[in-house]
């Protein structure tokens, strides 16, 4: 397969999903996406990541927008470019497991409304949590991208990730994504992992990283060398910081080489100009901290968003002076829990417990319900084992499940549909899913009682024109 | 020499010179450098670039600081880390050629006051403009770093740059710097050029780039692969944008590999924390534009600072609508002039003439004196030839010199010293050089009549704490 390493590099642009999720808390509105989408559609991307992840939640919670309507609208504009969504395995676009009948409906309707490529991941890399949605994606005929949630720990290794790739490959994935949500993959590791997968499997490999630690562009270069097929990038006005490396730079970096993307920089310039307009509108949401390289990420090995969340959790408790102590506690909690990768929802679970352990004056004096459920196996199998002591400490004599968590969930679609219909909430099939996924918000949203959050006005930053003679 | 490619990667940190020159127009004051310098000195850098370039000009013009005093002060703090300066060949730290006796004094006194490494470049890569200062650096016993000013054009090629490296090598340079001031070197080219030099010459090679186009971190990764010895980086609060890639990220990217820098990330964290304090103080000088990737740089192949300058030149003339026309004209002027690399002073010469050509309604209807001097050969030999038509158009029948420009400059040191002494300006030998280099500003500066420009107050940017549940 070494000839693959000389072929065209493909680009998945994330501007419509991960980039604004990372930089402006997923607040980009559909109306702003439209002119951008038209420019994007001419660029020649392999795909655009434009749906899933936190966009569903944000649409109904903050923007008073129907996520399904957004998807259909984007689909009308994107005539040449496949739409990719990020699907959290059995969690879909929520934060807990859903029963299989809900998963089935969700995948079916996502595809029907416009999703062409499904990127499916599980926070614990527990393939059982990915199997059901993956099988349904194959049923629809869409492109199935299986995902490795990348992390570092004593129980994670390149060969372990290659094993996972093999499992995904054997389940008929059309491509494999290495999802490096914390932006921690080192160039040499990226090279080894990509080579490891491609040496053995005839499958497209995608690298998805974040610039939080400043390593991602270097890892991307190493990935190009190693023969990566697809790189995830964001247009420059929404790139860097906690977002992806810039699309234009990656495209330019291989211009005229064997890995040329075939994408025209002048067409990207039009996309960029649309992005600049949007950026201008949302300037008040950008935070300097999200845009700068945070070298603490290198020391604490935590995703950028997680650090921001911890800071605000501690601020709320007037305990910001405990931040270092929490940073020190997190690796210990993570070890106790068998080293889960830190990504939604495990990053929240580990972070919150570490805060409890520090603030309540004793480790596991207060234990969150999520940690209890985690130790019970209700999120799936932990990557490393959990000691009997920790298990006892956290759940006492309660039972640990060994089955797939969703096996314990009875079908709920029809029941919820009836309930929502009776409440007068349903005007289309998709509304049932909205109701099931976000039962607290969906009623007011579906009744049209919510309003869009205003976009904060930016404190105008002076544009200096200092220059030396 | 392939074993070199497996040895420790060295780091030159540019925070004290290029980083703040690139991001805040060289406005960092010595008092702020001091606590930072103490932290830097413990980090284990190969060197710190801390003097030369625009710092000399900025010290006396804007900061009311004696550049020589800064150098000595830094030297006292930097006990373990060599100080590097950027020397513009026969231009020293000014914008025109100086006579050899001035060059001799300048190099001698720079070394005496604390410079350990001299990076010597010429905007035209005309080695004759570098020979005199290079010979003097060798006399002092300091480390001599010869420089390739990297650019792209029909008359520039990797093999041409390797030829220049050979010339530098034969003149006893201790290392060679590839200076990519526009941040345009592509990963594949970096690899080829570094390999080309190192395959043939037993010499340390340094890559210096800027993140303006977003390519630099990728080029650095390719350089590491190719066996680069030294990379120029800036601490994260002063990195990216028009500055260098982040020191912490580059150090982390090779941790545990054969190219490990040996630098401790926890020590870098202390340096980073000092930088954050400084950044806070100067926040009002940072411009969003300088900090973001500018993908136009990829299309126009212009250094970021040059674009900013053109915008402000055109704004002054109420002709910002002519920007595209100027962008189109620049490559033509550059072609007319034999494709000079665009770096001080050629970037200013080419940019200003392009503005004239567009605004005065005819090419070369108005011609700057600098362009005339350039065509006469007074800046050195142009990389490509200039056609007879262009020559006629610009200087008519005036003569083109073929000698080294400084050969035409009579000694001036003693005369200027007498003049300045008579005016009561001189209290130490170094003041004579200050006077010679900046005759317009030096008198008021040396008489203590200038004041430091205030630091503008930042428009506070709201720190949002938006986060999804
Ligand atoms: Co991501
Ligand atoms: Co520079």
């Amino acid at each position: 397969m070494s000839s693959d390493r000389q072929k065209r590099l493909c680009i998945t642009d994330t501007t419509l999903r991960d980039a604004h999720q990372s930089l402006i808390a997923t607040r980009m509105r559909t109306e702003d996406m439209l002119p951008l989408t038209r420019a994007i559609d001419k660029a020649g991307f392999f795909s655009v990541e434009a749906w899933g992840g936190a966009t569903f939640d944000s649409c109904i919670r903050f923007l008073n927008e129907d996520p399904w309507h957004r998807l259909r609208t984007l689909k009308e504009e994107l005539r040449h470019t496949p739409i990719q969504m990020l699907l959290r395995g059995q969690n879909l676009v929520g934060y807990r497991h859903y029963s299989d009948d809900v998963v089935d409906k969700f995948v079916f309707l996502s595809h029907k409304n416009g999703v062409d490529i499904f990127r499916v991941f599980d926070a614990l890399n527990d393939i059982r949590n990915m199997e059901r949605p993956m099988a349904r994606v194959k049923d629809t005929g869409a492109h199935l991208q299986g995902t490795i949630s990348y992390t570092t720990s004593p129980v994670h290794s390149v060969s372990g990730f290659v094993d996972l790739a093999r499992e995904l490959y054997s389940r008929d994935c059309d491509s494999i994504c290495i999802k490096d949500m914390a932006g921690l993959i080192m160039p040499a590791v990226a090279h080894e992992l990509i080579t490891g997968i491609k040496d053995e499997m005839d499958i497209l490999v995608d690298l998805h990283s974040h610039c939080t630690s400043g390593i991602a562009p270097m890892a991307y270069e190493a990935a190009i060398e190693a023969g990566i097929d697809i790189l995830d990038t964001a247009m420059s006005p929404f790139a860097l910081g906690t977002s992806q490396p810039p699309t234009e730079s990656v495209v330019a970096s291989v211009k005229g080489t064997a890995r040329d993307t075939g994408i025209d920089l002048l067409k990207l310039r039009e996309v960029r100009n649309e992005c600049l307009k949007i950026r201008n509108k949302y300037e008040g949401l950008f935070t300097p901290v999200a845009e700068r390289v945070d070298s603490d990420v290198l020391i604490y090995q935590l995703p950028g968003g997680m650090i921001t969340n911890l800071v605000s959790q501690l601020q709320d408790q007037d305990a910001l002076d405990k931040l270092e102590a929490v940073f020190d506690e997190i690796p210990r909690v993570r070890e106790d829990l068998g080293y889960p990768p830190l990504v939604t929802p495990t990053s929240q679970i580990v972070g919150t417990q570490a805060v409890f352990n520090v603030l309540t004056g004793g480790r596991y004096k207060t234990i969150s319900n999520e940690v209890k459920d985690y130790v019970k196996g209700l999120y799936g199998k932990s990557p490393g084992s959990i000691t009997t002591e920790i298990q006892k400490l956290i759940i006492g004599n309660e039972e640990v499940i060994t089955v797939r968590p969703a096996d314990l969930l009875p079908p709920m679609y029809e029941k919820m549909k009836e309930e929502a219909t009776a409440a007068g909430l349903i005007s289309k099939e998709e509304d049932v899913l909205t109701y099931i996924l976000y039962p607290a918000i969906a009623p007011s949203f579906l009744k049209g009682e919510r309003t869009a959050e205003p976009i904060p006005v930016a404190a105008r930053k002076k544009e200096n024109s200092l220059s030396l003679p």
Side-chain angles (χ1 to χ4, degrees), chain A residues 195-210:
Chain A
T195 310
I197 299 171
K198 292 198 71 73
D199 276 349
E200 188 184 321
M201 293 160 243
D202 184 15
I203 192 163
L204 297 173
V205 180
D206 176 305
L207 177 60
H208 172 93
S209 188
H210 288 253

Side-chain angles (χ1 to χ4, degrees), chain A residues 443-461:
Chain A
S444 58
F445 170 74
L446 292 168
K447 278 190 261 177
E449 292 169 3
R450 297 182 77 87
T451 49
E453 178 199 73
I455 301 170
V457 177
R460 271 271 147 249
K461 193 153 187 317

Side-chain angles (χ1 to χ4, degrees), chain A residues 28-185:
Chain A
M28 198 190 290
R29 284 148 172 79
T30 306
E31 63 186 44
D32 299 307
M33 291 180 179
L34 292 185
L36 172 58
T37 309
R38 283 166 213 143
I40 279 178
D41 200 34
K42 294 180 200 136
F45 295 130
F46 175 79
S47 65
V48 283
E49 195 191 49
W51 209 63
T55 61
F56 197 103
D57 186 351
S58 177
C59 269
I60 59 170
R61 191 185 300 267
F62 303 116
L63 309 180
N64 192 30
E65 273 194 34
D66 186 341
W68 301 98
H69 179 257
R70 170 183 292 180
L71 177 56
R72 280 194 304 277
T73 312
L74 293 177
K75 187 67 188 170
E76 277 166 30
E77 299 294 340
L78 291 163
R79 292 165 186 280
H80 307 100
T81 317
I83 293 182
Q84 179 178 299
M85 82 163 288
L86 180 66
L87 190 75
R88 299 172 178 152
Q90 199 83 16
N91 292 5
L92 302 174
V93 292
Y95 306 93
R96 63 173 192 83
H97 283 160
Y98 297 98
S99 57
D100 287 336
D101 60 336
V102 174
V103 168
D104 295 353
K105 275 282 182 197
F106 187 88
V107 170
F108 173 73
L109 287 176
S110 300
H111 177 254
K112 187 180 161 205
N113 282 281
V115 173
D116 301 293
I117 301 177
F118 288 81
R119 174 176 292 170
V120 183
F121 82 95
D122 176 66
L124 297 176
N125 285 322
D126 186 338
I127 193 124
R128 300 171 308 165
N129 293 335
M130 298 190 251
E131 275 173 337
R132 183 82 181 200
M134 293 206 310
R136 287 300 81 76
V137 170
K138 289 308 288 185
D139 290 347
T140 65
H143 179 118
L144 171 62
Q145 186 170 86
T147 303
I148 296 166
S149 293
Y150 178 78
T151 190
T152 54
S153 89
V155 302
H156 289 92
S157 64
V158 166
S159 71
F161 289 127
V162 173
D163 292 344
L164 177 54
R166 201 177 298 116
E167 290 205 63
L168 295 167
Y169 183 69
S170 73
R171 275 155 182 91
D172 222 9
C173 287
D174 299 290
S175 59
I176 290 175
C177 173
I178 303 164
K179 179 180 165 70
D180 175 28
M181 50 279 174
L184 287 175
I185 200 165

Side-chain angles (χ1 to χ4, degrees), chain A residues 233-237 239 245-253 265 268-269 272:
Chain A
T233 60
M235 291 301 301
S236 60
T247 303
E248 302 97 307
S249 310
V250 173
V251 167
S253 79
L265 283 171
L268 282 189
R269 190 160 186 252
R272 197 273 314 250

